Amino acid sequence: MIDTGCLGMKSREDLQKRWRFVAESSSISSLKSAVRKPANENPCICGFRSICWKIFLLFQDFDHLIWNQKLLASRRAYDSLRQHFFRNVERPNNIDSEFDPLTEDENSPWTNIRQDEALREEILQDVERCMPDYEYFHQREPQTMMLDILFVFCKLNPDVGYRQGMHEVLAPLLWVVKEDAINTGLCPSETEDSSFVGTMLDETYIEHDSFTLFNLLMQSAKPLYDAAPSTPKQPITFASKQSDSFIVQSIKNVYYNLLPQVDPELSDRLYKAEIVPQVFLLRWFRLIFGREFPLENLLPLWDLILAEDPQLDLLQFICVAMLLRVRWHLLEAEPPDMLIILLRYPIPPENIGAQTFVDDAIYLRTHLDIEGGSYIIAKYSNRTPKYSPGKRQSYSRVSALQFPAGKDKAELRSLSPSQSSSISSPEQRGLENFLQDAARGVYRRSEKWGLSNIVRNTVEEMRKGVQNLPTSTPTKAQVSDAVQGKPKSQICQDYVDNSLTPVDLLKDALIGLRECEEEIKQINRRAAAKLRLAADKVENAQRMFEDVPRKQIIQTGSEESGGRPEGMSLFQQHTSVGSSDQPKSPPVQTQTSSALYPSKLATLPAGYISPNSPKGGQLETQPVESFQSPRRSLAQSSFSWMVEGEQRTSNGMSNNPLRTGKRNYEQKNKVRSFLFGESGPQESSQGEDDSQEERFEV
Amino acid sequence: MPSDESLPTLKILLIGPSGAGKSALLLRYCDDLFDSESSTATIGVDFRLKKLSVRGTPYRLNLLDTAGQERFRTLSHSYYRGAHGILLMFDMTNRESFLSMGRWYDEAETNALPGVVTYLVGGKLDCHDFRVVSTEEGEALAQQHGSRYCEVSSKTRENIRRPFVELVHEIVNNPSLMQMVKRPGEGGRSLDVKREDPYIFNGCNC
């Protein structure tokens, strides 16, 4: 293992020498090939794995200036988020005494505290038993970091919350950041390069950087944790349900679509043995193979996954590649032993390594047929499956049985190219699959900027175009470049352009919000006191002059109370319409503060808001109902879009921000499945799902 | 081991809240291992095999160890398919754990075949000092749902075989459940797609 101290392998000279590997890479593609190189030429193995992962997930660029900016911005953003979400956990005494700690009221800050405590307890239970084979994870410090990171993530993504398994997605990230970290105090930097490396690997920011990587990776992995749309008593079977969650769709696609195309014999055998796919695939997907391989095998695998496919679209093909690797064992085993093989997946020999699954997956993605499958099988076993023409037919009959009836041909064609060989040629099939993958990748990114409609239409058009292409026209590579190149690079550029300032803005906004709330509370107290005073006066006055209209006096009183308190200066710096202009209506100030930020903040980077938030769209500001209303949670405030971008549709229609999350997610699925040629979920099933969810959430 | 493969197979499901000790119970029962340091949260489901003889007849047990986190339950219903017995387990040192058992019984009754045998297990019997659920409470809950009850310690091995032996005993004494037990030579059921369809589709009428 790599020495974590500064004085060992990471001496200054050593760092500089090693830095060369990363510094010499001038593009993502050159780094992609570098992470495949043997140990002494591979930056990931030379102590820069965390930087490589940051490049793939966060920087997506090779301008060192941008690296620095993005990294510092991400660290600042985490500080702000932490501060915000921990305010009640760490300082419950700050809560206004007017709230009853024992209240059942949902809006009470005490209720929030109790929920937060329960959430932290739930997370801690898993964090304490995470990666038991590694001494590091038994220590209090990393456990606390993991707990805090997961807590912040859950608060930021209330639509999914904490799901078992997330902690094991985080663990390798934390491990990698911690392994590379250096103590900059012990390693004073003399050159510009070593100072830069020092900043990148500063051990002070292990938690910050781990959160940033986790949050970015989870943007792709989050759908794998959403199990909501599945209905009860409906096993995952070949009877495809349109309301399937993304994870169920993925599992079905691997088991009933991809595998039968590359290895019908294995598919048939697993099916007849009644192997329920989610028993092993759920874990493979959710942990990104974290339990299937020991950490030393897992990290090189993740190197390639992150290098090739940070959107995780490749996972399904990696699953197929893993099934093909053990296909002979599976064919020879009895059903229960088959499950044992799949749940205790054999560790690939050192000279092959788990990372080979990624290259197999990339190959299978464009060779999704029996020949492609046989090639991968033979590559590792020197044995090729034997398929006689007659037998092949019988297999395809079995795989046809596994598909839902009642789908029209167009849907079936895009879902399962193997059943429509008479319609499309193998080249077209590969191309179509590729298009679907590309579409999914582009879609996931684009929905963050509300581009989904445009992209969907474009991809649909392209697919139509491809289906009409004669087989001999452009090669797959040419077309795939055309498909992938344009929108993705454009979107990546947008991402880079937009991702820096917004992080700062988020921070400012959060600080502004906190200050604003403090001010309001102060004003509240002053107003209450003044009102009491005024009421006394009124009583006195009433006693003395029975005929003076009561209303008029109260007005005078409240005008007095609306006066500008001290300590407002900070807030007013941020607002163009200060309270001095409108001294009578303090609530307007909160509206002003929210109206000031949205248009700029709406372009926050993908890492800090959930997808679907409108780009540059005008956000609705929630009117402040009552001056006396209790402090609201962030999710209820006019800043709610920050934490629940998912819960707003791209056109900004969201009546109840707390209830719309799941439905929106379904809408996402709908679009996603549309890209796959399926139709979206039905309204009625949504209703069922809602009641279903309530039942389980109670 | 051809003799093992010819044994009648029983499918048993372990359910209960996260941290109750389901995986530890199976690890102790199947492999006679216990190491609280090396326990991890179950993701989705895990699977173990065990041979068990009841009154001289050997059976093969397919043991499905499910994840405890409740939110996963929407996905877990398919694990119930074809289960003969369900072990419901809670942590006797955790009141919340015990109080959630009503919902786990609901879960079992909703998803499993009617007539499935249920069995309630209280875990962590060795932690006397932290125990917050009494034997009487456990027994009362079990009785209310027509189950038997037993308290175990995976750490000390106390009672570790009892829930499995008693559960299997009850299953094999139930003729209607034994009808769906697969035996060698009559395993055609699982291959018959048509016969399975009605179960799958009738299942979601609730």
Side-chain angles (χ1 to χ4, degrees):
Chain A
M1 281 300 149
I2 299 157
D3 188 1
T4 49
C6 167
L7 301 173
M9 285 168 71
K10 286 206 190 102
S11 66
R12 205 163 50 246
E13 296 76 27
D14 195 48
L15 269 181
Q16 275 181 324
K17 203 171 71 195
R18 286 156 185 277
W19 173 241
R20 194 167 41 88
F21 294 124
V22 183
E24 279 174 2
S25 305
S26 55
S27 65
I28 298 274
S29 58
S30 66
L31 194 64
K32 268 186 195 174
S33 56
V35 300
R36 288 184 161 85
K37 285 182 178 165
N40 54 351
E41 298 170 54
N42 185 330
C44 288
I45 300 169
C46 293
F48 288 107
R49 176 166 275 139
S50 67
I51 293 187
C52 291
W53 289 12
K54 282 171 193 163
I55 294 170
F56 296 137
L57 285 170
L58 176 66
F59 307 145
Q60 299 180 338
D61 191 279
F62 263 83
D63 183 342
H64 290 190
L65 202 69
I66 288 184
W67 291 10
N68 214 21
Q69 285 173 343
K70 283 196 176 180
L71 193 65
L72 297 184
S74 74
R75 287 171 179 173
R76 279 199 303 271
Y78 180 67
D79 271 332
S80 307
L81 288 169
R82 220 194 115 101
Q83 209 184 350
H84 176 74
F85 290 124
F86 277 75
R87 66 190 190 282
N88 286 347
V89 177
E90 283 170 355
R91 297 182 302 278
N93 295 338
N94 284 5
I95 292 175
D96 234 327
S97 53
E98 68 191 80
F99 295 111
D100 174 12
L102 300 175
T103 181
E104 298 285 317
D105 178 10
E106 273 184 23
N107 294 321
S108 162
W110 292 104
T111 310
N112 291 334
I113 289 187
R114 281 195 294 272
Q115 286 167 351
D116 285 357
E117 277 169 1
L119 174 63
R120 286 177 67 81
E121 218 168 280
E122 188 183 13
I123 297 171
L124 187 65
Q125 191 180 40
D126 289 343
V127 162
E128 281 179 335
R129 45 184 184 159
C130 179
M131 312 280 274
D133 297 339
Y134 294 82
E135 182 55 37
Y136 174 70
F137 291 101
H138 291 268
Q139 297 165 20
R140 184 50 70 186
E141 196 196 348
Q143 287 185 353
T144 311
M145 282 198 273
M146 288 181 74
L147 170 61
D148 291 353
I149 292 170
L150 288 164
F151 177 73
V152 170
F153 176 82
C154 292
K155 298 296 283 182
L156 203 54
N157 295 273
D159 53 328
V160 172
Y162 175 70
R163 301 286 168 95
Q164 282 185 322
M166 287 178 181
H167 65 303
E168 292 192 32
V169 174
L170 170 62
L173 299 170
L174 176 64
W175 173 270
V176 163
V177 174
K178 158 253 165 195
E179 282 289 289
D180 288 358
I182 53 175
N183 183 332
T184 47
L186 289 175
C187 269
S189 42
E190 284 151 12
T191 68
E192 205 179 308
D193 262 4
S194 59
S195 143
F196 183 60
V197 175
T199 312
M200 297 282 288
L201 301 176
D202 193 344
E203 68 172 13
T204 320
Y205 297 103
I206 292 178
E207 184 178 327
H208 299 67
D209 293 359
S210 302
F211 171 81
T212 302
L213 290 177
F214 178 69
N215 194 34
L216 289 168
L217 184 58
M218 284 306 287
Q219 297 304 314
S220 309
K222 205 168 97 172
L224 299 171
Y225 283 87
D226 187 82
S230 185
T231 49
K233 284 194 91 174
Q234 176 124 40
I236 297 178
T237 62
F238 45 85
S240 174
K241 271 297 275 191
Q242 290 167 346
S243 60
D244 282 343
S245 63
F246 181 68
I247 177 73
V248 175
Q249 284 177 21
S250 304
I251 288 171
K252 280 183 181 174
N253 195 38
V254 167
Y255 204 67
Y256 299 123
N257 181 22
L258 302 180
L259 186 64
Q261 290 182 63
V262 294
D263 193 347
E265 188 184 1
L266 177 62
S267 164
D268 196 44
R269 173 90 179 105
L270 290 171
Y271 183 69
K272 283 181 175 159
E274 285 192 307
I275 303 291
V276 187
Q278 68 270 35
V279 169
F280 62 99
L281 282 180
L282 187 78
R283 196 174 78 192
W284 288 14
F285 271 117
R286 281 200 171 139
L287 302 186
I288 318 177
F289 313 108
R291 284 260 176 102
E292 317 318 316
F293 307 108
L295 206 51
E296 58 267 28
N297 297 67
L298 181 73
L299 298 183
L301 174 68
W302 278 27
D303 286 342
L304 289 205
I305 292 178
L306 298 180
E308 292 294 340
D309 176 45
Q311 283 84 39
L312 302 181
D313 295 326
L314 209 51
L315 290 194
Q316 297 187 8
F317 292 93
I318 295 176
C319 291
V320 176
M322 284 171 67
L323 285 167
L324 292 186
R325 195 78 66 90
V326 292
R327 69 101 66 179
W328 298 111
H329 298 283
L330 289 172
L331 288 180
E332 286 153 17
E334 282 301 308
D337 298 322
M338 291 166 87
L339 255 190
I340 300 283
I341 293 172
L342 294 167
L343 283 167
R344 320 258 188 281
Y345 194 85
I347 300 165
E350 211 175 305
N351 59 341
I352 295 177
Q355 63 271 31
T356 48
F357 291 117
V358 178
D359 288 325
D360 290 355
I362 293 170
Y363 178 85
L364 287 171
R365 186 163 62 179
T366 48
H367 297 82
L368 201 60
D369 47 31
I370 289 176
E371 287 73 26
S374 301
Y375 170 78
I376 295 294
I377 293 164
K379 193 170 156 189
Y380 299 96
S381 67
N382 292 324
R383 288 164 72 188
T384 313
K386 300 265 182 296
Y387 290 110
S388 63
K391 210 174 180 189
R392 201 183 274 205
Q393 234 169 18
S394 78
Y395 282 128
S396 61
R397 188 177 50 79
V398 172
S399 82
L401 267 179
Q402 296 166 0
F403 273 93
K407 293 233 166 210
D408 72 39
K409 266 187 183 168
E411 283 176 332
L412 264 182
R413 187 169 61 225
S414 57
L415 190 77
S416 165
S418 70
Q419 291 162 43
S420 54
S421 48
S422 59
I423 304 169
S424 60
S425 69
E427 268 78 15
Q428 279 174 326
R429 268 188 274 146
L431 194 53
E432 272 195 59
N433 281 314
F434 186 87
L435 267 172
Q436 283 180 6
D437 285 338
R440 207 144 46 102
V442 173
Y443 172 68
R444 281 217 211 138
R445 283 254 167 249
S446 67
E447 64 190 356
K448 291 163 193 161
W449 296 283
L451 293 173
S452 52
N453 281 336
I454 306 165
V455 173
R456 196 195 322 150
N457 294 340
T458 316
V459 169
E460 193 54 29
E461 269 179 40
M462 280 193 283
R463 191 162 73 181
K464 276 181 207 155
V466 168
Q467 282 167 5
N468 296 332
L469 278 179
T471 359
S472 57
T473 41
T475 65
K476 267 176 273 184
Q478 281 168 332
V479 177
S480 63
D481 282 346
V483 174
Q484 201 177 25
K486 180 80 186 203
K488 262 196 176 170
S489 63
Q490 191 57 49
I491 286 161
C492 286
Q493 194 52 48
D494 286 354
Y495 177 80
V496 170
D497 293 343
N498 291 334
S499 55
L500 281 167
T501 42
V503 176
D504 294 328
L505 281 169
L506 170 64
K507 187 186 164 190
D508 288 344
L510 286 174
I511 293 169
L513 175 65
R514 268 194 300 279
E515 283 163 358
C516 187
E517 282 176 342
E518 282 305 313
E519 300 308 330
I520 288 172
K521 263 192 277 172
Q522 274 193 15
I523 296 170
N524 232 332
R525 271 182 241 119
R526 280 158 202 268
K530 296 247 174 179
L531 272 173
R532 269 197 301 275
L533 231 149
D536 286 349
K537 282 182 188 168
V538 170
E539 258 177 63
N540 289 339
Q542 244 177 350
R543 250 178 263 132
M544 291 168 75
F545 311 101
E546 290 281 334
D547 54 339
V548 175
R550 204 184 156 101
K551 198 173 145 197
Q552 200 181 330
I553 295 172
I554 292 180
Q555 262 183 353
T556 320
S558 48
E559 213 164 284
E560 232 179 299
S561 73
R564 174 179 163 188
E566 309 92 30
M568 287 287 284
S569 54
L570 222 168
F571 169 65
Q572 277 159 2
Q573 281 171 9
H574 294 282
T575 51
S576 52
V577 189
S579 62
S580 54
D581 297 336
Q582 290 175 309
K584 278 185 215 168
S585 50
V588 172
Q589 290 160 10
T590 34
Q591 283 183 302
T592 318
S593 71
S594 59
L596 183 74
Y597 295 104
S599 56
K600 285 191 228 164
L601 278 163
T603 54
L604 270 171
Y608 294 96
I609 48 169
S610 310
N612 268 0
S613 66
K615 184 187 182 179
Q618 202 52 48
L619 283 152
E620 19 171 14
T621 50
Q622 295 177 350
V624 178
E625 291 144 16
S626 154
F627 192 44
Q628 300 282 348
S629 69
R631 174 151 128 181
R632 306 184 201 191
S633 71
L634 187 64
Q636 291 165 296
S637 73
S638 51
F639 287 86
S640 60
W641 53 271
M642 271 194 246
V643 292
E644 47 187 53
E646 286 260 355
Q647 298 177 357
R648 279 164 191 274
T649 53
S650 49
N651 57 13
M653 301 251 293
S654 166
N655 298 330
N656 183 350
L658 296 175
R659 284 291 300 145
T660 49
K662 198 171 77 61
R663 198 160 289 145
N664 233 300
Y665 192 64
E666 273 167 9
Q667 189 167 11
K668 214 165 116 189
N669 275 343
K670 189 171 170 180
V671 181
R672 186 181 279 124
S673 55
F674 174 67
L675 283 173
F676 282 86
E678 292 172 291
S679 54
Q682 316 237 317
E683 275 303 319
S684 60
S685 69
Q686 276 186 14
E688 259 178 56
D689 292 339
D690 280 349
S691 58
Q692 169 65 15
E693 183 169 78
E694 272 160 20
R695 220 187 81 213
F696 287 122
E697 295 296 329
V698 167
Chain B
M1 292 171 282
S3 61
D4 269 15
E5 281 153 24
S6 59
L7 298 178
T9 302
L10 304 180
K11 179 173 168 182
I12 292 167
L13 203 63
L14 237 85
I15 61 172
S18 181
K22 300 179 291 297
S23 303
L25 173 67
L26 279 195
L27 190 64
R28 176 59 97 187
Y29 177 61
C30 298
D31 301 340
D32 195 25
L33 293 172
F34 179 80
D35 182 6
S36 62
E37 290 291 290
S38 72
S39 76
T40 56
T42 304
I43 307 298
V45 71
D46 204 354
F47 178 76
R48 289 186 180 276
L49 287 172
K50 178 80 178 174
K51 209 169 85 176
L52 174 69
S53 292
V54 173
R55 277 201 246 148
T57 315
Y59 296 93
R60 191 164 64 171
L61 306 187
N62 286 355
L63 300 158
L64 253 80
D65 176 16
T66 62
Q69 200 186 41
E70 285 194 49
R71 293 190 192 105
F72 279 90
R73 295 200 285 165
T74 42
L75 250 188
S76 65
H77 48 259
S78 53
Y79 306 139
Y80 288 84
R81 189 170 153 213
H84 303 95
I86 295 171
L87 277 179
L88 299 99
M89 188 164 185
F90 67 93
D91 171 4
M92 293 192 291
T93 69
N94 181 339
R95 192 84 203 156
E96 291 288 314
S97 178
F98 177 70
L99 292 176
S100 73
M101 291 321 286
R103 273 178 286 158
W104 286 102
Y105 266 112
D106 287 347
E107 168 88 357
E109 282 152 18
T110 312
N111 290 299
L113 289 174
V116 70
V117 180
T118 54
Y119 196 105
L120 186 64
V121 182
K124 308 191 187 174
L125 182 57
D126 51 286
C127 304
H128 306 287
D129 297 346
F130 303 100
R131 182 171 171 152
V132 292
V133 181
S134 68
T135 307
E136 292 71 33
E137 283 176 299
E139 276 171 349
L141 180 69
Q143 202 173 14
Q144 194 186 326
H145 294 275
S147 322
R148 300 185 72 156
Y149 175 67
C150 135
E151 295 173 350
V152 304
S153 165
S154 302
K155 192 173 180 180
T156 65
R157 293 193 183 84
E158 192 172 349
N159 279 341
I160 208 74
R161 291 185 73 242
R162 204 178 124 194
F164 297 96
V165 172
E166 293 186 353
L167 184 68
V168 170
H169 196 265
E170 199 169 332
I171 292 169
V172 300
N173 283 325
N174 182 329
S176 65
L177 273 180
M178 287 309 283
Q179 271 181 359
M180 54 178 243
V181 172
K182 263 186 272 175
R183 286 170 184 281
E186 53 180 75
R189 194 192 89 93
S190 61
L191 306 183
D192 188 345
V193 173
K194 277 177 199 153
R195 279 186 62 184
E196 278 194 318
D197 281 349
Y199 167 68
I200 290 159
F201 291 109
N202 290 340
C204 55
N205 284 343
C206 62

